[in-house]
Amino acid sequence: MINKIDLINELNKLSTKNYEDVFSFIMSFNNPIESKSDICLNCPHCGSVEFVKNGKTNKGIQRYICRECNKSFCDTSNTLLYRSRCTEDIWLKFIDCEISGLSLKETAYYTNLSVTTCFYMRHKLYKAIRNLKMKETLSSKVELDCIYTKINLKGTKPSNMPRHSKKRGNTSAYSGISHHKVCIVAAIDENDNMLLEIAGVGSESMEKYTKYTDKFMDTTLIISDSKPCIQQFANNLGVKNDKVPVIANKKRYTTNLGNSLGDFNQLATGITKIIKNSHGVSIRHLQDYLSFYLYKKQLHYRTNRKDHANIMYNLLKYNHHLSNKDTLNFDYPISLKDVFMNIDMGFLHNHQHLN
């Protein structure tokens, strides 16, 4: 018997490439796995393996009843598809639209769903991708730098705003890189392994990079600009830092060894495009968007485009269930106290959940 929790823990230890290899291996059998019960033989309520079949739902999904707790469940219980009225075909079409970068209105048109339904499906999909927690490590040559974006409180009710609401297009009170900008640590190696993580607010620093030291254990060279904090980080790792030199009145795009930040710049351009096309991404959901973009790029590098939706769907369909309410109630990845403490102390006192 295979315990579901132990199986998921073991799969989470795999890299994205190994995860896909395992999936491809399973699907190569003549009789592929047809239901959740084939690989996760336990009750989602009590964990017991003593259960029997108990008919099927109106959609033809197999139901079971547990002999230990007498509770019923089905193949989709507590999964991404739990209580979803969308069929597998609709989910596949929806995922394909998301991979193609369509807007919610365009996705709603092609899937014949409402914009609201697509909105919740998008956040369930993105959070499921983030929860995969692939153990990617960066090896050999790594291009490293930070990407900055504004703190976006999109979706926050006016009564809960920690600052005065801003109108789109207005300039910020703080120009350049300040504590009102989100700092995203971004890296990519020559094997297309990537890192995209929100590290905090304000300018990059040694502390921000140190949070992800475990991702650089196999790194042999860090390619970056000439910021001292990256040189210090490379010294702590014991690797060489190949820097693009700063020369007055002259632009340089390569290091003295001929390396460049071309792949990193492409990564940064993709993030900027996502934020622009979405008319801003709420800071509450920004890491989900980053995780989805990263995984989508990895699929693009390693598999055929026609297989992307199927691979993503099969990896995610047994992911933990999130209700519509759950998708909107995640904590902020940064401390708003550090950013807005001088603006509205009354707000911060009455909203302790902002960390």
Side-chain angles (χ1 to χ4, degrees), residues 83-298:
R83 291 182 177 175
S84 174
R85 297 181 181 179
C86 299
T87 63
E88 179 176 327
D89 289 340
I90 293 178
W91 267 101
L92 287 171
K93 186 178 292 186
F94 170 80
I95 292 174
D96 199 59
C97 290
E98 287 297 311
I99 293 173
S100 300
L102 301 186
S103 67
L104 287 176
K105 287 185 178 180
E106 291 170 330
T107 301
Y109 172 79
Y110 287 113
T111 58
N112 200 27
L113 299 171
S114 69
V115 173
T116 301
T117 299
C118 290
F119 171 81
Y120 285 116
M121 288 175 69
R122 168 181 285 183
H123 284 286
K124 289 178 181 180
L125 173 65
Y126 286 14
K127 289 190 184 299
I129 288 286
R130 182 179 175 183
N131 289 339
L132 285 177
K133 297 180 181 179
M134 297 300 185
K135 306 299 181 181
E136 292 285 358
T137 57
L138 301 161
S139 60
S140 191
K141 294 181 181 180
V142 176
E143 298 176 26
L144 175 65
D145 206 344
C146 282
I147 304 169
Y148 297 93
T149 185
K150 297 178 182 178
I151 296 176
N152 190 302
L153 300 176
K154 191 175 182 180
T156 304
K157 294 181 179 179
S159 59
N160 293 334
M161 287 288 287
R163 56 164 170 75
H164 298 295
S165 298
K166 295 179 182 178
K167 291 185 178 180
R168 187 178 300 162
N170 288 0
T171 59
S172 172
Y174 298 89
S175 59
I177 299 173
S178 69
H179 66 291
H180 278 223
K181 291 290 179 64
V182 179
C183 178
I184 303 169
V185 172
I188 181 170
D189 68 13
E190 57 186 359
N191 298 315
D192 298 324
N193 296 312
M194 289 169 275
L195 172 69
L196 279 175
E197 293 287 339
I198 297 175
V201 293
S203 181
E204 61 194 287
S205 65
M206 173 64 179
E207 290 73 21
K208 288 184 174 68
Y209 287 120
T210 304
K211 293 180 182 179
Y212 311 104
T213 298
D214 60 321
K215 300 288 186 180
F216 295 85
M217 300 310 293
D218 298 323
T219 300
T220 58
L221 177 68
I222 291 180
I223 305 167
S224 69
D225 54 22
S226 299
K227 292 187 178 67
C229 59
I230 299 182
Q231 177 67 69
Q232 185 181 1
F233 178 62
N235 291 340
N236 282 3
L237 290 175
V239 302
K240 185 177 179 180
N241 181 204
D242 189 19
K243 297 175 286 188
V244 178
V246 177
I247 302 176
N249 301 322
K250 185 177 180 181
K251 291 185 178 181
R252 281 292 300 270
Y253 300 99
T254 60
T255 67
N256 293 331
L257 297 179
N259 295 310
S260 71
L261 291 170
D263 291 335
F264 168 83
N265 291 333
Q266 186 183 44
L267 199 63
T269 300
I271 297 302
T272 303
K273 184 177 179 181
I274 289 174
I275 294 174
K276 181 179 179 180
N277 291 347
S278 302
H279 301 292
V281 177
S282 170
I283 183 62
R284 192 191 296 271
H285 304 297
L286 180 58
Q287 187 59 59
D288 300 333
Y289 278 74
L290 296 177
S291 298
F292 182 79
Y293 175 71
L294 184 150
Y295 187 69
K296 184 174 70 171
K297 281 188 71 69
Q298 290 173 332

